[in-house]
Amino acid sequence: MHFSQSIEQVRNRVQEACQRSGRSPEEVKLIAVSKKQSIESIRAAYSLGLHDFGENYAQELRDKSSVLSENLGLKDELSAPRFSEALSIKWHFLGPLQRNKVRYVVGTACLIHSVDRLSLLEAITEQVRKKNHSPQECLIEVNLGEESQKSGCSLQALPGLLDTFAHFGGDVRCLGLMCIPPMHTKAESSRPYFRVLRELLRKEQAIPRPYVNLRELSMGMSLDYEVAIEEGATMIRVGTALFGKRA
Ligand SMILES: *Cc1c(COP(=O)(O)O)cnc(C)c1O
C-alpha cells in the first residue's frame, strides 16, 4: 500500500472509532512511531500532515532530530523561512530509558512516555537543571500485565511514584499514564488492560499532587489503536500500520 493511503486508512479508522464511542477526533493525538524508519519516511509523513513522531532509542532520537533540524533549515536562518513548518515537529520518547542516555532525550522530546522509576525522574531533573531546559513533561508507564521482563512501574508503585513529583520543584511534570499490554494477536485482548489504565487515571486524578496533572492516556498501537480509542486513549502510538514493516 502506498504511504499516503496507509495514513488515510489510519485516519479514517481513528475517525470511525471516535464516532462509535462518541468522541471527537481532536481528542486523539496520532503519534507516528518512526523507530527504525528512515529520515526520508519521516519527511514524507511530515509532508502528509503528521507532526508527532515517536522514537524508542535514545541515540536514534538524537541523530534523527539533529539531521532533520539541519536539513529542514532550523539551524540555517537563510533557509528557515522556506521550511518554517519544520518547527512544529514534536518528538515523543517511548522506549525504556537508562540514566546515562537521558541527556539525548531531555530537551529534544516534548514528552517522555516511559518513566517508570524514581531514579529516572532524578536523572531527568538533573539534566533539565544542568542545561537550563524548560520543564520536561512525561507520562508514567504502568506494567499492567505484571510481566517481569517488561519496563513500567507496578500498580502498587504508581501512587508513590506520582507523589515524588512534588520533590522536583516542577522541573519534571506528569501529564498522564501509558501502557503496553502483553503481546497478543487479537485487538480485543487489549481491552481489559486499556480499561484498567483508564480507571487508574480516574482514580489518581482525584488525588491532588504538585506538578501532576493527569489528562493523557497513551495506549494503543497498530493492532489495537481502535480499541484503545474506544476505551479513552488520548494518544495512540502507531508504527507499522503507517510505515509498513520496520527495517
Ligand atoms: C514500536 C512501538 C509502538 C508501535 O508499534 P506498532 O505495532 O508498529 O504500531 C508503539 N509503542 C511503543 C512503546 C513501541 O515500542
Side-chain angles (χ1 to χ4, degrees):
M1 202 183 335
H2 191 270
F3 200 32
S4 61
Q5 284 174 298
S6 56
I7 292 181
E8 183 74 11
Q9 187 178 75
V10 170
R11 283 188 173 135
N12 286 339
R13 288 186 176 170
V14 167
Q15 200 135 35
E16 284 160 15
C18 284
Q19 245 153 31
R20 281 197 297 280
S21 45
R23 304 185 62 202
S24 153
E26 280 107 72
E27 294 170 35
V28 182
K29 177 163 283 174
L30 171 59
I31 298 169
V33 180
S34 49
K35 63 181 178 203
K36 308 246 176 97
Q37 304 289 354
S38 68
I39 294 289
E40 284 63 43
S41 297
I42 296 176
R43 281 214 190 88
Y46 189 89
S47 71
L48 292 165
L50 292 173
H51 291 179
D52 288 81
F53 293 92
E55 290 286 339
N56 273 56
Y57 309 98
Q59 285 105 323
E60 193 176 335
L61 172 65
R62 175 199 59 188
D63 295 346
K64 282 175 166 172
S65 64
S66 121
V67 166
L68 277 164
S69 60
E70 276 168 25
N71 289 6
L72 287 170
L74 295 186
K75 290 183 178 167
D76 178 349
E77 276 190 42
L78 284 176
S79 58
R82 260 174 72 206
F83 299 108
S84 56
E85 248 198 332
L87 288 169
S88 59
I89 285 190
K90 288 204 171 125
W91 295 102
H92 296 253
F93 191 78
L94 311 176
L97 187 53
Q98 295 163 289
R99 299 183 57 128
N100 62 348
K101 306 268 173 66
V102 157
R103 64 183 188 279
Y104 302 140
V105 175
V106 171
T108 298
C110 67
L111 188 64
I112 302 174
H113 292 230
S114 48
V115 170
D116 59 0
R117 59 198 190 279
L118 178 59
S119 62
L120 190 51
L121 285 174
E122 288 168 348
I124 291 170
T125 303
E126 195 180 310
Q127 187 65 19
V128 167
R129 290 179 182 166
K130 202 165 115 188
K131 294 284 170 64
N132 244 322
H133 285 306
S134 45
Q136 178 67 56
E137 297 187 325
C138 68
L139 307 178
I140 301 292
E141 178 178 355
V142 190
N143 182 359
L144 294 178
E146 316 247 311
E147 297 170 282
S148 57
Q149 77 282 13
K150 265 208 190 146
S151 47
C153 78
S154 68
L155 281 171
Q156 296 78 3
L158 177 64
L161 192 54
L162 290 170
D163 290 341
T164 64
F165 280 84
H167 304 161
F168 300 109
D171 287 325
V172 62
R173 294 161 191 246
C174 183
L175 302 189
L177 304 178
M178 180 271 227
C179 77
I180 308 172
M183 278 278 279
H184 51 71
T185 49
K186 281 204 307 263
E188 280 301 324
S189 317
S190 298
R191 194 182 295 277
Y193 296 97
F194 295 155
R195 284 199 176 145
V196 169
L197 199 70
R198 185 186 64 203
E199 283 314 308
L200 267 182
L201 188 86
R202 186 170 300 168
K203 197 171 123 199
E204 297 300 338
Q205 274 170 341
I207 304 165
R209 297 175 171 104
Y211 314 119
V212 175
N213 178 2
L214 299 173
R215 54 174 193 263
E216 305 290 351
L217 276 176
S218 169
M219 55 189 200
M221 310 182 6
S222 289
L223 182 71
D224 53 18
Y225 65 89
E226 293 161 274
V227 173
I229 290 169
E230 289 169 10
E231 297 301 333
T234 62
M235 296 180 162
I236 54 173
R237 312 178 306 266
V238 181
T240 46
L242 290 170
F243 294 105
K245 276 221 180 73
R246 284 180 277 276

